[in-house]
Amino acid sequence: MSARSAQLPRLLSRAAKLATPATARLAAIRASARQMSTARVSLRSNVLRTTPFVRARQYSSKSYPDHQLVGMPALSPTMTQGNVGQWQKQVGDRIEPGDVLVEIETDKAQMDFEYQEEGYLAKILAPTGTKDLGIDQPVAIIVENEADVAAFADYSPGAKTEAAPAQETVAKEETKEAAAPAKAAPSQAVESGDRIFASPLAKMLAKEKNIDLAQVKGTGPRGRIVKADIEGFVAPVAEKAAPAPAAKAAKPAPKAAPAAPSVSAGFTDIPLTNMRKVIATRLTEAKSTIPHYYLTQNITMDNVNKLRKSLNSAANGSYKLSVNDFVIKAAASALRDVPDVNSSWQGEFVRQHHHADIAVAASTPAGLITPIVRTCDAKGLKAISSEVRDLVTRARANKLKPEEFQGGSFTVSNLGMFGISSFSAIINPPHAAILSVGTTESRLVLDEASEKGFKAVENMSVQLSADHRVVDGATGALFLKAFKG
């Protein structure tokens, strides 16, 4: 025991010596890890400072002051171009984050473009009335200092620009790519092998007009071919007198409005609005790709009319319920009872919605739009009535927000106020069904309890247009049965 006790201090000393290098190595590893973590945080912060800013500050060959080009914004998911409405700011005005810069007519409605930075409006590049301007095409110039506004009085959108020397690498690359289309030859739309960059609408128009996209010079972002390029394209012909070289870089002129017809023309050409173009495209697609079928149901409205009259009398003018309010509520209840109709076709799957978000077809001066009343299954008649009136009023004034007319799970279209007995509506994709509502009419029906053997009733005809990929015929019949109650 004494010999072992004598060896114990030596063993402990040796173990301490062996542990020291390991402890030092562990400390070194931890220090290295901290340095790498710090480096990653630093790198990440640098990326965050440089990459989100899409609009690179630019300088021109005339050494314009530091400025930003503001492009046409994409205010809806389906928007590819827009029309410029009334400018809410004038040259020299100060802009605060959230200020409305200009009204933009999208493919759905006329909307306010709110600018989210501070500065001064130095130049308006797209005046009120400019049409079919592609996404990201410049509409205005913003500067930070009010004293720089005057320097842009003679600025032209065609001015050659280059990135500021102090701009980060990402901003430089963006600026170079944006400047590339101005230098490219007419065949510059063909890049990265044989790929042609063109918008879907431009491709469709080119196909209709038998135009080779490889011969079209794109004026969109990064040389992308847009609709205006196709409409303004002139096919090359056998060389006649060659134009002067200085004219080769001429920019496509803005689309001119149709000339006023002469007295003897006998017709008037009305330019298409963006909304009308979208209506034409979507309804043509819906009618040609969705397998529609139709179911009709007649509904006696006597009890509904009595209830409506009673509720409106009790309201003392605070609200006024319409027949359409009852239709929307009844449709929401039927969608809850037959959820297969409250679905939408998604290509690879069918999406069944948990709430009845009902789109209400509304006629506006610009065309048809379908504002959405959300969660109708959880709302009463008064709330539905108030919301429908508000949405339709703002729709006709072009004041709807995108989220107020995009989406939904079912559509109601009512032409009863025009005296239409019944009609077959076209499905509003991706919805699986739409309910068309006719007017209420007096009809004679058999009645054994009556002395005459018949009686007059108020009758309303409704028709369900359904997508057979989603809703089977029997399911559609169950929905109308639940709707009738």
Side-chain angles (χ1 to χ4, degrees):
M1 290 293 292
S2 60
R4 291 180 180 176
S5 299
Q7 292 177 358
L8 184 58
R10 289 197 302 271
L11 292 174
L12 292 175
S13 176
R14 185 178 179 185
K17 290 179 180 179
L18 291 173
T20 300
T23 304
R25 285 197 299 270
L26 181 59
I29 291 172
R30 287 177 176 170
S32 177
R34 284 195 297 270
Q35 291 176 355
M36 292 176 65
S37 176
T38 303
R40 282 196 297 269
V41 172
S42 176
L43 176 61
R44 184 161 58 247
S45 64
N46 286 337
V47 172
L48 288 173
R49 282 197 298 269
T50 58
T51 56
F53 213 85
V54 177
R55 300 186 203 90
R57 295 181 179 178
Q58 299 179 3
Y59 296 86
S60 77
S61 57
K62 293 181 64 177
S63 298
Y64 286 106
D66 193 9
H67 63 281
Q68 294 176 9
L69 284 174
V70 179
M72 169 66 73
L75 299 178
S76 76
T78 57
M79 179 178 172
T80 58
Q81 57 187 16
N83 299 341
V84 180
Q86 188 68 37
W87 281 89
Q88 303 300 315
K89 296 289 184 179
Q90 302 301 320
V91 172
D93 287 354
R94 178 172 176 78
I95 301 172
E96 299 289 346
D99 283 355
V100 176
L101 192 62
V102 62
E103 295 176 355
I104 299 293
E105 182 189 342
T106 71
D107 53 350
K108 296 287 187 180
Q110 187 148 328
M111 303 172 63
D112 293 333
F113 173 27
E114 296 181 356
Y115 196 67
Q116 299 303 325
E117 298 177 40
E118 295 181 354
Y120 293 87
L121 181 58
K123 184 77 173 181
I124 294 176
L125 302 177
T128 297
T130 302
K131 295 184 178 295
D132 299 334
L133 199 61
I135 300 301
D136 291 334
Q137 291 292 300
V139 298
I141 292 176
I142 305 294
V143 295
E144 291 184 2
N145 302 316
E146 186 176 11
D148 295 336
V149 171
F152 292 88
D154 61 345
Y155 181 91
S156 170
K160 185 177 178 182
T161 61
E162 57 187 18
Q167 191 71 7
E168 285 82 354
T169 304
V170 174
K172 287 181 180 178
E173 291 176 356
E174 290 289 336
T175 307
K176 289 178 182 178
E177 289 174 0
K183 302 177 183 178
S187 62
Q188 191 255 343
V190 182
E191 293 181 356
S192 302
D194 294 327
R195 183 179 177 188
I196 296 177
F197 296 94
S199 69
L201 182 57
K203 290 179 180 179
M204 183 181 72
L205 291 175
K207 185 176 180 181
E208 291 176 355
K209 298 183 179 183
N210 295 321
I211 295 176
D212 183 3
L213 290 174
Q215 297 181 354
V216 181
K217 179 181 178 180
T219 60
R222 303 182 185 177
R224 189 171 186 238
I225 298 173
V226 296
K227 175 190 171 187
D229 301 327
I230 300 298
E231 293 180 336
F233 175 73
V234 178
V237 295
E239 290 189 3
K240 298 181 181 178
K248 70 177 182 179
K251 204 170 182 181
K255 231 168 117 177
S262 63
V263 177
S264 60
F267 59 85
T268 301
D269 291 333
I270 301 174
L272 295 178
T273 63
N274 284 343
M275 182 183 287
R276 179 56 56 187
K277 293 175 186 176
V278 171
I279 291 172
T281 301
R282 283 177 58 82
L283 294 186
T284 300
E285 177 186 0
K287 193 64 176 176
S288 59
T289 62
I290 297 177
H292 287 60
Y293 72 89
Y294 309 95
L295 300 174
T296 303
Q297 180 70 275
N298 291 316
I299 299 173
T300 301
M301 295 293 291
D302 292 38
N303 292 335
V304 173
N305 288 339
K306 289 178 182 178
L307 177 61
R308 173 174 168 257
K309 184 177 180 180
S310 174
L311 292 175
N312 284 339
S313 298
N316 292 323
S318 60
Y319 61 86
K320 185 176 181 180
L321 301 177
S322 68
V323 172
N324 205 47
D325 300 330
F326 284 86
V327 169
I328 293 171
K329 182 58 183 178
S333 299
L335 291 172
R336 180 193 58 209
D337 296 340
V338 189
D340 287 345
V341 179
N342 196 36
S343 303
S344 58
W345 179 259
Q346 301 293 330
E348 297 298 324
F349 57 91
V350 172
R351 175 173 294 161
Q352 191 172 106
H353 302 276
H354 296 161
H355 292 285
D357 297 333
I358 296 182
V360 181
S363 176
T364 73
L368 184 69
I369 193 168
T370 52
I372 299 167
V373 184
R374 306 282 179 183
T375 61
C376 291
D377 51 318
K379 293 177 179 176
L381 285 167
K382 180 181 177 181
I384 290 174
S385 178
S386 175
E387 194 166 340
V388 169
R389 290 176 185 274
D390 174 63
L391 288 170
V392 172
T393 299
R394 288 191 290 114
R396 289 172 178 162
N398 289 321
K399 297 299 182 182
L400 288 180
K401 300 175 183 178
E403 61 269 20
E404 293 177 321
F405 57 79
Q406 293 173 2
S409 61
F410 187 81
T411 309
V412 169
S413 180
N414 191 340
L415 293 179
M417 65 285 294
F418 298 105
I420 301 300
S421 299
S422 64
F423 63 102
S424 302
I426 300 174
I427 293 172
N428 179 27
H431 300 176
I434 180 173
L435 186 70
S436 55
V437 183
T439 191
T440 300
E441 300 174 318
S442 294
R443 290 186 182 180
L444 295 178
V445 298
L446 295 175
D447 182 15
E448 296 180 356
S450 172
E451 293 182 359
K452 299 179 180 179
F454 62 87
K455 66 177 181 179
V457 298
E458 296 295 310
N459 182 81
M460 182 179 72
S461 177
V462 298
Q463 186 175 93
L464 181 72
S465 305
D467 183 347
H468 218 316
R469 298 173 300 180
V470 181
V471 182
D472 292 332
T475 305
L478 289 174
F479 170 84
L480 285 181
K481 183 179 179 180
F483 176 81
K484 185 175 182 179

